[in-house]
Structure formats: C-alpha cells, structure tokens
Amino acid sequence: SILISQSRLQFKRPLFFRDEVEVSTRANAFRRVSYQRGYDFHLADGSPVASGDSEWVLVDAETEKAVEIPDEMVAALAGEGAEPSKKKFSPIAPLPAAPPKVFTFNKEIIWRDVTAARHMDNAVFLEYFTEAGMRVSEHYGWTTDKAIDDGMGWFARTMEIAYHQPLHLSDQVEISSWISEIKSSSVIRNFRMLKAGTDELVCHCRMRLILVDLHTGRPMRVPMEIRDDFDENILLDEGK
C-alpha cells in the first residue's frame, strides 16, 4: 500500500457554493521508496484556487515498512515518455515549543475514519486539526457565531502536514494546538497529534491563517481583544 508522508498546500482564493473546480495532478519526482505528487486547482475560467504537493511512501501492507518502488510503477505513475525527476524532497520543519497551558483534547479513531487498507485516511487528519481549531477558539470564547456576528473569519493561506506513523481503528490520540506567530492580519497555528498517554508523535501541522473582514472580503488587523483572550495559548517562536 501507499502511505502519505507529508503535504503542503497554498490557498489563493476561497471557494463558494456551486463553484466548479478543475483539479489536475501529476507525479513529478521519485526516490527509492517514495514519490512526490503535485496538485493544481483552478476555476472553470482558469483562475487559480490552490496548489500543493505531497510525498507518498510505498510500504509492505503487512509490516508497514517502506519498500523500493519498482520500475514499472515509476513508469505508470510518471506517464508514457516522461523522464522521472530524482530531486530531493524538502522536509517539513518540526513545530516550535508549545506554551505551558497548551490546549489539548483526546479522540478515538472510529470505523468511518479508516480506509480499506486498515489505517486512518490522510484526509481525516486535517478534519481532526480543523476540529481542534474550532475547539480551541470556543474554549477561549470565540465561537463561530461570535466571529460572524463581529464580521470576521479565519481563512487558511498555507498549510503543512507531516505524517510520522499510521493510525488504526480504536487508536487513542491526544491533539494539542497553539499559536506561535502573530502578524498584523495573520497568525500561525500549530497542531500536534500524539498517541494518547505517550510521547509518540503521530502527525504535526502548521497553518498560516488570515483574518478576513466578512463584509469586504479583505484582510483585517487582528484585534487586541483576540490577542488578550488567547494569551495563554500563545508562545511566540523567537526564531521568527
């Protein structure tokens, strides 16, 4: 089977109900046990919506250990006549330190999260991190209704996810989230997933979120009220 190792996404504009999107994808680089796939999203008129890439690892279905990609698989993925690239992949950086009172909650992997390959679908990790973002906001008094009533909303600009090990049915995980950077109209929110009760890192994610005025659709300054309310969930990365 094939397991995802990491993903990067850049969002160029929001999508709305009934928007039609064209998605193109290609395998564009290969290494001994992994390959990279690129993605582009456009509206029907050709306007770019998002782009990204991901790295995938071929593993033995029983042992979940990496195995070498056979030449015929490289040829099938690269396409007829294509010359596969051997460029190195850029690893996603580890997360910065978390604050002492980092927001944390637990979840159990249930049947609908799992694929036919018996591990959790990679897209579900993002669902869990999205839930974490909603929960941490509500914890500090910023419900979705409050944000909408105040005419503001958070939109993802970039996202990086590194997958460290697969998850299986009934596994228990601990998810933490905190802010490590605040700029005039954006923040970086970090997400960390551990096997519950251990220090085993399962997955980590970093998102740059833009605060948008819902009336104008333009970025707006992060209010001091938000900075104050989330104070204990912020530990600025001094390396930035």
Side-chain angles (χ1 to χ4, degrees), residues 56-70:
W56 299 81
V57 179
L58 184 65
V59 300
D60 182 284
E62 294 299 323
T63 66
E64 293 185 340
K65 300 293 186 182
V67 296
E68 187 167 355
I69 300 176

Side-chain angles (χ1 to χ4, degrees), residues 2-9 25-39 52-59 66 69 77 86-92 122 161-164:
I2 301 175
L3 294 178
I4 195 165
S5 166
Q6 61 179 38
S7 285
R8 288 183 172 89
L9 283 169
T25 182
R26 67 228 167 260
N28 51 21
F30 291 84
R31 300 181 73 181
R32 190 175 66 85
V33 300
S34 63
Y35 71 95
Q36 188 179 69
R37 178 168 291 281
Y39 308 88
D53 61 69
S54 58
E55 183 182 2
W56 299 81
V57 179
L58 184 65
V59 300
I69 300 176
L77 290 169
K86 296 290 186 180
K87 73 176 184 180
K88 291 185 177 181
F89 304 142
S90 174
I92 290 173
N122 60 286
I161 307 179
Y163 305 85
H164 301 279

Side-chain angles (χ1 to χ4, degrees), residues 153-204:
W154 292 100
F155 290 79
R157 174 67 73 190
T158 62
M159 180 175 62
E160 298 180 330
I161 307 179
Y163 305 85
H164 301 279
Q165 60 175 294
L167 289 172
H168 305 91
L169 184 65
S170 300
D171 279 349
Q172 305 279 338
V173 294
E174 176 186 289
I175 304 171
S176 303
S177 182
W178 69 97
I179 291 170
S180 62
E181 180 181 298
I182 302 178
K183 292 191 172 180
S184 60
S185 59
S186 71
V187 303
I188 289 181
R189 178 162 283 286
N190 305 281
F191 302 89
R192 180 183 64 207
M193 183 184 294
L194 304 175
K195 284 282 189 76
T198 77
D199 293 325
E200 288 185 48
L201 183 60
V202 174
C203 183
H204 78 265

Side-chain angles (χ1 to χ4, degrees), residues 10-34:
Q10 302 83 42
F11 302 95
K12 299 176 173 66
R13 55 154 292 167
L15 290 173
F16 301 95
F17 183 58
R18 296 191 183 280
D19 279 347
E20 294 188 7
V21 182
E22 178 181 289
V23 183
S24 60
T25 182
R26 67 228 167 260
N28 51 21
F30 291 84
R31 300 181 73 181
R32 190 175 66 85
V33 300
S34 63

